[in-house]
Amino acid sequence: MAENLRSWVVTQGVQRSPNRAMLRAVGFKDEDFTKPIVGIANGHSTITPCNMGIMPLALRAESGIRAAGGMPQMFGTITISDGISMGTEGMKYSLVSRDVIADSIETTCMGQSMDGVIAIGGCDKNMPGAMIAIARMNIPAIFVYGGTIKPGHLNGQDLTVVSAFEAVGQYSAGKISYDQMLEVERHACPGVGSCGGMYTANTMSSAFEAMGMSLMYSSTMAAEDTEKADSAEKSAIVLLDAIRHQRLPRQIITRQSIENAISVIMAIGGSTNAVLHFLAIAHAAGVELTLDDFETIRGRVPVLCDLKPSGRYVATDLHKAGGIPQVMKMLLAHDLLHGDALTITGQTVAELLADIPADPRPEQDVIRPWSNPMYSSGHLAILKGNLATEGAVAKITGVKKPQITGPARVFESEESCLEAILANQINPGDILVIRYEGPKGGPGMREMLAPTSAIIGAGLGDAVGLITDGRFSGGTYGMVVGHVAPEAYVGGAIALVQEGDSITIDAPARLLQLNVPDEELERRRANWTPPQPRYTRGVLAKYATLVSSSSLGAVTDLHVNP
């Protein structure tokens, strides 16, 4: 077993007696000093419904650790609710929180020399934050998802938090009354758990299951169901076995397992944010991964699941239909999954999927049969061109017009764009450009769910395009392109766009083009000056100084590990 607090307390005897005295104060007895010390990175918080059901899971994990012969040490991690902060200045802290979470878990586990860690989180950044830390530390670890919310219901329709955002656009366009909008808001989120569609939280939990760092079936369980707490306890027991056999994260988080995760993301129609997060996770694990790899996998993996935001169903429906293991078995049966990839259980992916049928059950239509997919290839496309020489990310499925050329409508912030949409100042054919919202320029790379939902609600989803150096919520769909890199703040071409310029978004050709002569762009570049930083102190200022391009995962330690 790796050098850790337990081992040096035992081996150094009298010299370490004061350290043992401190541990006795938190419940250690003589016989406990020979047991593995296991951290429980507990994301419980009443800030967000995604995390307010986590404490019972943490307590069940604690019981599981004790029953399996370990000594649990619980500590808290932060969270930001993207859904609550969406459209506000506070959203700038969302992506930043990913790195704060990673740093806090690493700091606590390494500072207290823990033998392993079980991380429990619910909101969007809990997952990648925890996995970045796990990959960095390389001590035995497992991730437990806090669980998905059950859908809300109104007039026979399933609702999610995105329904409330879209209702604002519908109201502004005069399509529904104020009272109807209010009823959607009242019914959209009926209890605890993460946003119910295949948005970022459910995308990342599903990907971690596919990667082998969470237990099978655990990623689509509802937060309120008994099986979720049972899974947390079982995860703790599996972790203790991993500690005893020294199954380390970097044996599991490999190029093969990351490709498995990306394949599943494509098959389930997952969030654009997964691109950003897996680039960062791969960086932390020392695995080579680029934007082009996503495009390669997209070309060979079909979209198999009919899930919100662009589809009909939510994560609990996917769970009833067979969950992520059913999707994985279909991919494995068609040679699109690495079956020999190791999982936290000590078994391979193929071994875990052995008893699952290769075809989905015919009585459900959440998971489509291989012969009749939603789309023949994946939905997350990497676009390049003079507007995004490093690349940009587009969600291209469900779009009626995957090609659009139109005049630029330029906005220097999310708020100014949203105001124009709600004031009915956007016309069919326009290309909205929201800039200075990138990792450095925002800072923090806000999600643009408010304007994109307002566009959908106004009935313009198939009629306008939107590009940004910011991000999109997993709930976003339509002709939208995010993660444009280089970003405006560092002089990317998106900073040079002027009102009325012609822009082409061509998803089939993977093209994002500003239709302006090169010599004109050079003239504009010569006259461009970087804006003053929006924050000069505190965590946002530190983040803006350290963060890399979104094309590299917006990591904050690139200068340390070039």
Side-chain angles (χ1 to χ4, degrees):
M1 191 172 292
E3 183 69 16
N4 50 47
L5 182 61
R6 179 190 55 76
S7 62
W8 58 248
V9 167
V10 171
T11 58
Q12 300 195 34
V14 173
Q15 182 181 351
R16 295 303 181 188
S17 184
N19 304 90
R20 291 192 297 183
M22 294 288 288
L23 290 170
R24 289 184 194 280
V26 297
F28 277 65
K29 297 179 173 57
D30 287 345
E31 61 271 20
D32 295 328
F33 291 110
T34 60
K35 297 175 181 177
I37 295 175
V38 184
I40 304 174
N42 178 4
H44 178 82
S45 168
T46 57
I47 289 173
T48 165
C50 314
N51 288 54
M52 67 182 295
I54 285 177
M55 185 57 76
L57 307 184
L59 294 175
R60 284 290 296 275
E62 185 178 50
S63 298
I65 291 167
R66 291 188 189 278
M71 281 301 291
Q73 299 283 277
M74 193 178 298
F75 63 94
T77 64
I78 69 158
T79 193
I80 298 293
S81 171
D82 292 2
I84 295 172
S85 65
M86 196 73 68
T88 73
E89 192 75 1
M91 185 63 191
K92 293 182 178 180
Y93 289 85
S94 170
L95 186 58
V96 176
S97 75
R98 182 190 76 178
D99 289 77
V100 174
I101 292 165
D103 292 349
S104 68
I105 293 174
E106 177 190 355
T107 300
T108 304
C109 290
M110 295 293 96
Q112 297 300 123
S113 303
M114 293 176 180
D115 291 290
V117 63
I118 180 170
I120 310 175
C123 209
D124 291 7
K125 306 311 174 295
N126 299 171
M127 270 78 75
M131 200 58 62
I132 288 167
I134 286 167
R136 284 182 195 163
M137 297 184 299
N138 203 35
I139 61 174
I142 194 168
F143 184 82
V144 173
Y145 181 38
T148 184
I149 195 172
K150 293 181 178 181
H153 301 285
L154 181 65
N155 299 325
Q157 298 293 316
D158 283 351
L159 301 179
T160 70
V161 66
V162 175
S163 306
F165 282 92
E166 292 178 0
V168 172
Q170 292 171 324
Y171 169 69
S172 298
K175 295 186 174 183
I176 60 174
S177 69
Y178 180 82
D179 287 342
Q180 288 173 311
M181 179 186 73
L182 196 59
E183 282 302 293
V184 172
E185 178 245 294
R186 285 171 173 157
H187 291 84
C189 298
V192 301
S194 298
C195 300
M198 192 46 67
Y199 310 146
T200 302
N202 285 326
T203 297
M204 295 306 295
S205 69
S206 299
F208 288 177
E209 181 178 321
M211 193 167 62
M213 289 299 297
S214 294
L215 297 187
M216 287 285 182
Y217 295 102
S218 66
S219 67
T220 51
M221 293 174 178
E224 297 178 290
D225 287 352
T226 301
E227 64 177 348
K228 183 76 259 184
D230 293 342
S231 177
E233 184 170 358
K234 183 179 178 182
S235 296
I237 295 169
V238 169
L239 175 60
L240 264 292
D241 184 68
I243 291 172
R244 293 192 175 100
H245 290 89
Q246 280 300 283
R247 285 193 292 275
L248 303 179
R250 292 195 190 181
Q251 295 171 326
I252 301 168
I253 308 173
T254 63
R255 172 73 186 210
Q256 285 188 326
S257 73
I258 289 176
E259 287 186 358
N260 285 351
I262 296 171
S263 293
V264 166
I265 289 165
M266 296 295 177
I268 62 177
S271 168
T272 54
N273 283 311
V275 177
L276 191 77
H277 296 326
F278 267 96
L279 288 170
I281 291 165
H283 170 73
V287 174
E288 185 176 343
L289 187 72
T290 69
L291 282 175
D292 292 337
D293 294 318
F294 288 85
E295 182 60 32
T296 299
I297 295 172
R298 185 203 66 78
R300 64 187 185 223
V301 177
V303 179
L304 297 172
C305 299
D306 186 5
L307 297 168
K308 290 179 181 292
S310 59
R312 293 178 292 167
Y313 295 106
V314 295
T316 51
D317 297 317
L318 174 60
H319 190 64
K320 294 172 188 174
I324 297 303
Q326 179 64 76
V327 176
M328 292 177 68
K329 184 58 177 277
M330 294 171 70
L331 295 174
L332 180 65
H334 291 84
D335 297 322
L336 293 173
L337 220 61
H338 299 287
D340 56 349
L342 181 68
T343 73
I344 187 63
T345 66
Q347 297 172 280
T348 66
V349 166
E351 288 170 338
L352 288 175
L353 298 176
D355 295 331
I356 296 172
D359 297 313
R361 298 195 306 270
E363 71 273 12
Q364 60 78 45
D365 58 355
V366 182
I367 307 172
R368 301 281 283 270
W370 192 266
S371 59
N372 185 31
M374 292 291 295
Y375 306 99
S376 61
S377 58
H379 64 302
L380 299 180
I382 306 304
L383 275 55
K384 293 186 178 181
N386 67 352
L387 256 179
T389 55
E390 293 179 13
V393 183
K395 188 184 287 188
I396 63 173
T397 50
V399 177
K400 292 181 181 178
K401 298 178 181 178
Q403 301 161 306
I404 184 171
T405 295
R409 301 292 306 278
V410 181
F411 301 95
E412 309 298 329
S413 69
E414 176 187 5
E415 289 88 347
S416 59
C417 180
L418 181 61
E419 288 174 7
I421 297 168
L422 297 181
N424 298 314
Q425 295 173 356
I426 303 302
N427 300 311
D430 286 347
I431 308 290
L432 284 60
V433 178
I434 306 177
R435 63 189 179 193
Y436 295 105
E437 291 285 6
K440 287 183 176 292
M445 206 177 178
R446 286 192 291 184
E447 293 180 351
M448 305 290 139
L449 181 59
T452 58
S453 295
I455 289 169
I456 296 294
L460 293 171
D462 293 313
V464 303
L466 187 152
I467 69 171
T468 180
D469 50 8
R471 296 182 295 131
F472 294 119
S473 163
T476 292
Y477 62 102
M479 194 57 172
V480 295
V481 183
H483 307 199
V484 172
E487 62 174 289
Y489 188 81
V490 300
I494 191 172
L496 309 179
V497 180
Q498 294 182 359
E499 189 81 8
D501 281 349
S502 172
I503 291 176
T504 295
I505 305 172
D506 188 336
R510 313 290 174 261
L511 179 67
L512 184 60
Q513 185 77 17
L514 176 60
N515 302 311
V516 171
D518 291 344
E519 55 271 22
E520 171 61 15
L521 290 181
E522 288 306 312
R523 185 191 68 78
R524 294 181 189 180
R525 189 177 301 282
N527 293 325
W528 177 83
T529 56
Q532 291 297 311
R534 288 170 168 162
Y535 288 83
T536 56
R537 296 189 180 205
V539 66
L540 290 182
K542 289 191 287 185
Y543 185 83
T545 300
L546 294 172
V547 70
S548 75
S549 169
S550 60
S551 66
L552 300 173
V555 300
T556 53
D557 61 351
L558 191 64
H559 66 293
V560 178
N561 298 297

